[in-house]
């Protein structure tokens, strides 16, 4: 029976991580709810994707090409050649040749025994240097990797549904889609997904191991398609849903783009006049000895304040307040307090509420048409609401439906 890593919230508001053994994520959540816990996130344990029988690991020697074009040899232990290639791809290595270590040792013994004893230490030294350099570069590069957006996932779902509908095996389709991705994180996730599916793991279960790339909506649609044997139809509905969400986001950005641009330009012009232009006139007025009106004197004083060191301290205080606000928003109570204030904004609150309502209706209808149970559809829709207050309202409605 598979195990799941579950993040729960207790009655006192504290958050803990538990390991639950259950048949499915939905059963694990229901089990925890019956015991008074609120599940926040469910992820399948990595140990479930390795299969029941663990084959013995073998040593492989791979010839890889670095980004600067030089070749290096890496010694790696894996259960199979596919697993070795997958691990090397995860490390960011480009594999040119991979063969068992015993085979290479025998081939070198044909010439002379001294060659074997001289190659292995050199290859280990090169391997250690390449791994240290590669791990440092990988950790630096992965800091700036961004997950795929709605548009990238919509294109992926549409192309994969077309391949599955045409009769292409799902593993072959995932490999083809992985080679077409420009985002390294998305490409690596699809390669791991293809390898897991090739080993017999269900596609929806394997996708839960990459929750950074695949959200709950995508996983639920795929699991419903697999359960009903209509994966191509589920992927088509998913692609249509993601395309509609992308269009809605573009419409919102287009509606807010012009007012935000005008506001930013107005602030920049005001700061430029206050810092650079007003001091010139202030010197002229001071030479004339004229008495300035109250509003003009206020602008002159404000210009002097912005050009003094007090402005730097004020900027530091503002940045510190923004950081503390972000930390407060990351908490359970802070997010609900801020989201409640956002919904009460004069213009943007109503726009956010209408957007969240339209998105809930679209996602909920797509999930129920795909065969996902109503309670699970409402739970997934609450996770994609984007506002904690709206999410709590959906979960409250789910509790009433469940009763």
């Amino acid at each position: 029976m598979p195990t799941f890593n579950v993040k729960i919230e207790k009655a006192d508001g504290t958050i803990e991580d538990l390991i639950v053994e259950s048949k499915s994520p939905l059963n694990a959540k229901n089990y925890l709810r019956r015991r008074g816990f609120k599940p926040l996130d469910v992820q399948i344990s990595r140990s479930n994707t390795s299969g029941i029988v663990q084959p013995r690991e073998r040593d492989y020697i791979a010839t890889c090409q670095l980004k600067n074009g030089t070749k290096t040899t890496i010694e790696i232990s894996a259960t199979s050649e596919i697993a070795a290639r997958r691990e090397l791809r995860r490390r960011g290595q480009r594999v040119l040749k991979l063969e068992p270590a015993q085979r290479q040792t025998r081939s070198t013994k044909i010439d002379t025994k001294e060659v074997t004893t001289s190659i292995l230490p050199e290859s280990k030294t090169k391997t250690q240097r390449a791994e240290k350099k590669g791990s440092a570069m990988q950790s630096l590069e992965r800091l700036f990797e961004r997950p795929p957006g709605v548009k990238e996932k919509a294109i992926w779902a549409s192309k994969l549904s077309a391949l599955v509908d045409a009769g292409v095996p799902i593993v072959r389709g995932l490999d083809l889609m992985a080679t077409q991705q420009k985002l390294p994180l998305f490409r690596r996730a699809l390669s791991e997904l293809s390898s897991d599916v090739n080993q017999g793991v269900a596609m929806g279960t394997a996708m839960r191991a990459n929750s950074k790339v695949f959200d709950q909506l995508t996983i639920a649609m795929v699991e419903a398609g697999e359960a009903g044997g209509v994966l191509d139809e589920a992927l088509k509905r998913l692609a249509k849903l993601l395309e509609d969400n992308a269009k809605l986001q573009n419409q919102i950005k287009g509606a807010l783009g012009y007012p935000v641009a005008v506001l930013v330009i107005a602030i920049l012009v005001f700061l430029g006049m206050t810092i650079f232009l007003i001091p010139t006139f202030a010197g002229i007025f001071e030479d004339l000895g004229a008495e300035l009106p109250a509003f003009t004197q206020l602008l002159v004083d404000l210009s002097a304040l912005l050009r003094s060191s007090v402005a730097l301290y004020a900027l530091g205080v503002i940045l510190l307040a923004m950081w503390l606000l972000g930390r407060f928003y990351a908490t359970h109570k802070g997010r609900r307090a801020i989201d409640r204030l956002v919904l009460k904004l004069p213009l943007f609150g109503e726009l956010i509420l209408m957007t969240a309502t339209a998105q809930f209706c679209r996602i909920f209808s797509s999930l129920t048409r795909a065969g996902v149970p109503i309670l699970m559809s409402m739970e997934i829709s609450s996770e994609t609401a984007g506002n904690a207050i709206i999410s709590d309202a959906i979960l409250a409605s789910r509790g009433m439906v469940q009763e």
Side-chain angles (χ1 to χ4, degrees):
M1 187 176 295
T3 58
F4 298 91
N5 298 326
V6 186
K7 182 179 292 185
I8 64 167
E9 179 183 356
K10 292 185 176 181
D12 56 355
T14 58
I15 297 177
E16 292 185 1
D17 293 330
L18 297 179
I19 298 178
V20 180
E21 184 176 349
S22 181
K23 295 182 179 179
S24 65
L26 182 60
N27 292 338
K29 289 184 177 181
N30 293 334
Y31 172 79
L32 292 171
R33 287 196 186 95
R34 288 195 299 268
R35 278 150 182 79
F37 300 115
K38 181 181 179 182
L40 300 177
D41 186 22
V42 180
Q43 294 183 1
I44 189 169
S45 178
R46 259 298 186 182
S47 60
N48 295 326
T49 60
S50 59
I52 299 177
V53 180
Q54 297 289 342
R56 186 172 58 88
E57 290 188 350
R58 298 181 58 185
D59 294 332
Y60 294 89
I61 294 181
T63 303
C64 303
Q65 184 176 3
L66 301 178
K67 292 186 178 180
N68 56 5
T70 59
K71 295 181 180 179
T72 182
T73 56
I74 297 177
E75 188 173 352
I76 186 172
S77 298
T79 56
S80 64
E81 184 175 346
I82 297 176
R85 290 182 180 273
R86 174 189 171 192
E87 177 64 21
L88 291 170
R89 283 197 302 267
R90 190 185 65 82
R91 297 180 186 179
Q93 303 290 342
R94 182 182 178 187
V95 183
L96 300 178
K97 185 179 179 182
L98 180 67
E99 58 183 8
Q102 294 180 357
R103 188 181 303 173
Q104 187 179 21
T105 306
R106 291 176 183 175
S107 62
T108 53
K109 284 184 178 179
I110 295 177
D111 296 332
T112 176
K113 295 182 180 179
E114 296 180 359
V115 176
T116 304
T117 56
S118 61
I119 284 180
L120 288 178
E122 183 180 359
S123 64
K124 289 183 179 179
T125 307
K126 290 182 179 180
T127 302
Q128 293 176 356
R129 293 176 181 175
E131 286 183 351
K132 289 181 180 179
K133 186 177 180 181
S135 61
M137 291 296 295
Q138 283 180 5
S139 59
L140 183 61
E141 290 176 356
R142 293 186 180 182
L143 288 176
F144 302 98
E145 287 182 352
R146 69 175 183 89
V150 179
K151 184 177 179 181
E152 287 86 357
K153 288 192 286 188
I155 296 174
W156 164 76
S158 178
K159 290 183 177 180
L160 185 60
S161 65
L163 290 173
V164 174
D165 192 22
V168 179
I170 187 65
V171 176
R172 177 60 177 165
L174 290 172
D175 289 334
L176 290 174
M177 296 306 303
T179 56
Q180 296 179 2
Q181 302 304 321
K182 296 181 180 179
L183 297 176
L185 180 60
F186 200 16
R187 181 171 60 249
R188 189 166 59 250
L190 290 178
S191 299
E192 294 178 0
L193 179 62
S194 174
S195 178
D196 292 340
V197 173
N198 191 28
Q199 294 178 4
V201 182
M203 184 175 174
T205 305
M207 290 171 73
R208 292 186 179 276
N210 291 291
S211 58
K212 187 177 180 181
V213 177
F214 304 106
D215 53 5
Q216 294 293 328
L217 173 63
T218 305
I219 296 173
M221 294 286 284
V222 171
E223 287 180 344
E226 285 183 315
V230 287
L231 183 59
D232 54 342
E233 294 294 332
L235 289 173
K236 287 180 182 178
R237 292 194 183 100
L238 177 62
K240 182 67 169 58
L241 178 62
L242 294 176
E243 289 174 0
D244 293 340
N245 289 340
K247 290 180 182 178
L248 182 61
Q249 291 180 1
N250 291 333
Q251 290 176 358
I252 295 173
K253 291 179 181 179
L256 297 178
Y258 181 74
V260 171
V262 171
L263 180 62
V264 170
I265 293 174
I267 293 174
L268 292 177
V269 170
F270 174 76
L271 291 177
M273 291 179 61
T274 306
I275 296 175
F276 301 105
L277 188 60
I278 290 180
T280 304
F281 289 98
I284 297 173
F285 295 149
E286 186 177 357
D287 294 337
L288 293 175
E291 184 178 356
L292 301 178
F295 184 73
T296 307
Q297 186 64 43
L298 177 63
L299 290 178
V300 173
D301 295 340
L302 180 61
S303 175
L305 180 63
L306 291 177
R307 288 183 291 111
S308 64
S309 59
V310 179
L312 297 178
Y313 293 111
L315 180 62
V317 171
I318 292 173
L319 294 177
L320 179 62
M322 292 176 62
W323 181 77
L324 292 176
L325 185 63
R327 294 294 301 270
F328 179 66
Y329 186 75
T331 61
H332 179 76
K333 296 181 179 179
R335 183 178 181 183
R336 276 149 182 80
I338 295 177
D339 285 347
R340 187 177 290 106
L341 293 176
V342 167
L343 291 177
K344 294 180 180 180
L345 292 176
L347 178 61
F348 297 100
E350 185 178 357
L351 179 62
I352 293 173
L353 181 60
M354 293 174 62
T355 303
T357 304
Q359 187 173 358
F360 165 75
C361 295
R362 187 180 296 110
I363 293 174
F364 183 73
S365 63
S366 299
L367 289 172
T368 51
R369 269 185 290 168
V372 181
I374 292 179
L375 295 178
M376 187 175 182
S377 300
M378 296 184 71
E379 184 175 354
I380 295 172
S381 301
S382 67
E383 295 174 356
T384 58
N387 188 284
I389 303 301
I390 300 175
S391 177
D392 291 343
I394 297 173
L395 290 177
S397 302
R398 179 188 179 278
M400 295 178 183
V401 173
Q402 189 176 10
E403 292 176 357

